[in-house]
Amino acid sequence: MLKLTGRDASLRSFDLCRLPPLMSRIPSNPLCDYGYISCEGREGRKIPQFTEVCSLSKPMFLELWDDDFNLVETVHEHLRVANQTHNVIWGNRFSTLIQSMCQEVNSSIPVMSTAPQMFNVYVLYYLGLLPFVGIKGFDVFMVVLVNVERWRKLFTGAFGEEDSTPYFVADFFISRIITVINYFLRAPKLFTHLKLRGIPVVGFVVNDEEDWDYCIRSGFDGIITDYPKRCEQFLRRKRGLTSPVLQNAKSAGDDFSKQMEKRRKEAYSTKL
């Protein structure tokens, strides 16, 4: 609420009719150079209701932050009424509890991998054990792509001026740490292995053109981004694609759930 409206309060503390309007200029993600997101021209700059978002019939990524079973059920009911349950990935990047709630409400909707699950997959892959271990708990593997230059500037900015000694030392170590992390996160053979096992691979909150291009070249099944319009324009310009999220599934003429089910069947047939 603070970032969107300038009000330091919880959304639940407002009645629907008294929601504060969006700010005319919303700051963009600090890891991007897109400046501000303009809300000028929006009718009253009102916050859209979830039912309005569902009515757009667009592929969606829903990250639920409250471990409230009633909330999960309510969200699912809106998705069901809007006939959008086939077009959604949901869950939480940290909470396996929320993940299990989502699976209990509707196991046919793909759930995202949590950060601990992603970490375990990477560890098993680099130890050479992943082919011998079952992968459970999630349906879609999320890949975090680190833009080294942007992350370096973000973290070293807290150490004073650029010409200061603390900044220089911090920049030296942080840039190398981020480079190493980025190297291990970008594992094309891991992505191929997961897809052969029927697990779609999706870029998680990817906001740079350079990383969008990497997702395309690596055969990702989708791109989750804070800037869908920019991403869509890039995809059209780069590959003639039309959807910023779940683009491979759409290009195959199928929705994401059917694509995932198809891959699961193929992986099962291969094992047999």
Side-chain angles (χ1 to χ4, degrees):
M1 290 294 287
L2 181 62
K3 179 181 177 181
L4 297 176
T5 67
R7 300 281 295 275
D8 189 7
S10 169
L11 182 64
R12 288 185 172 182
S13 64
F14 296 95
D15 293 330
L16 180 61
C17 60
R18 296 183 178 179
L19 284 175
L22 296 169
M23 293 189 295
S24 58
R25 299 175 70 200
I26 299 174
S28 67
N29 190 305
L31 292 172
C32 299
D33 294 330
Y34 299 146
Y36 289 85
I37 301 172
S38 176
C39 292
E40 295 290 352
R42 289 179 60 95
E43 183 183 353
R45 302 204 307 273
K46 71 171 186 175
I47 298 175
Q49 296 182 41
F50 186 58
T51 52
E52 295 175 316
V53 176
C54 289
S55 67
L56 297 176
S57 298
K58 296 282 189 178
M60 291 189 293
F61 166 69
L62 300 177
E63 188 165 17
L64 308 176
W65 285 96
D66 288 343
D67 53 353
D68 182 344
F69 191 77
N70 290 331
L71 173 64
V72 178
E73 286 187 315
T74 302
V75 169
H76 175 262
E77 181 61 19
H78 284 301
L79 292 172
R80 186 192 65 78
V81 171
N83 194 28
Q84 277 285 81
T85 55
H86 67 289
N87 228 8
V88 172
I89 301 172
W90 64 350
N92 181 276
R93 72 187 75 178
F94 301 115
S95 175
T96 53
L97 175 59
I98 295 176
Q99 185 185 65
S100 63
M101 288 180 181
C102 293
Q103 291 171 325
E104 182 177 345
V105 169
N106 189 334
S107 60
S108 67
I109 300 179
V111 294
M112 65 181 289
S113 56
T114 63
Q117 289 169 337
M118 292 188 299
F119 179 77
N120 289 339
V121 168
Y122 274 106
V123 170
L124 289 170
Y125 169 71
Y126 282 111
L127 289 177
L129 300 175
L130 188 59
F132 311 103
V133 178
I135 301 176
K136 300 178 180 179
F138 63 90
D139 300 304
V140 181
F141 186 72
M142 297 295 180
V143 179
V144 178
L145 299 179
V146 177
N147 187 297
V148 176
E149 186 63 22
R150 296 188 189 282
W151 282 58
R152 180 184 67 82
K153 290 181 179 179
L154 179 66
F155 286 109
T156 55
F159 291 88
E161 301 295 330
E162 290 191 17
D163 57 350
S164 65
T165 301
Y167 182 93
F168 176 79
V169 174
D171 182 64
F172 178 84
F173 287 102
I174 289 176
S175 61
R176 281 154 182 78
I177 291 172
I178 294 175
T179 300
V180 171
I181 292 174
N182 184 55
Y183 174 80
F184 283 106
L185 288 176
R186 302 189 183 219
K189 291 183 179 180
L190 167 62
F191 307 150
T192 300
H193 174 80
L194 291 172
K195 292 168 74 171
L196 288 174
R197 293 179 68 167
I199 300 176
V201 177
V202 172
F204 185 64
V205 193
V206 183
N207 293 324
D208 281 293
E209 290 192 359
E210 176 184 343
D211 293 332
W212 291 336
D213 187 59
Y214 177 85
C215 291
I216 296 172
R217 288 186 286 103
S218 299
F220 280 25
D221 296 278
I223 300 172
I224 294 171
T225 177
D226 292 325
Y227 306 96
K229 287 188 177 180
R230 289 179 182 271
C231 184
E232 185 170 11
Q233 291 170 358
F234 174 81
L235 292 174
R236 283 175 173 168
R237 186 172 68 249
K238 190 75 177 179
R239 294 288 189 272
L241 302 173
T242 58
S243 177
V245 183
L246 314 181
Q247 48 90 9
N248 278 356
K250 288 295 181 183
S251 66
D254 211 346
D255 63 62
F256 189 75
S257 295
K258 290 180 180 178
Q259 186 80 352
M260 188 178 70
E261 185 63 26
K262 179 181 177 182
R263 283 189 175 150
R264 281 176 171 167
K265 290 179 180 179
E266 289 175 350
Y268 181 73
S269 299
T270 301
K271 291 178 183 178
L272 294 177

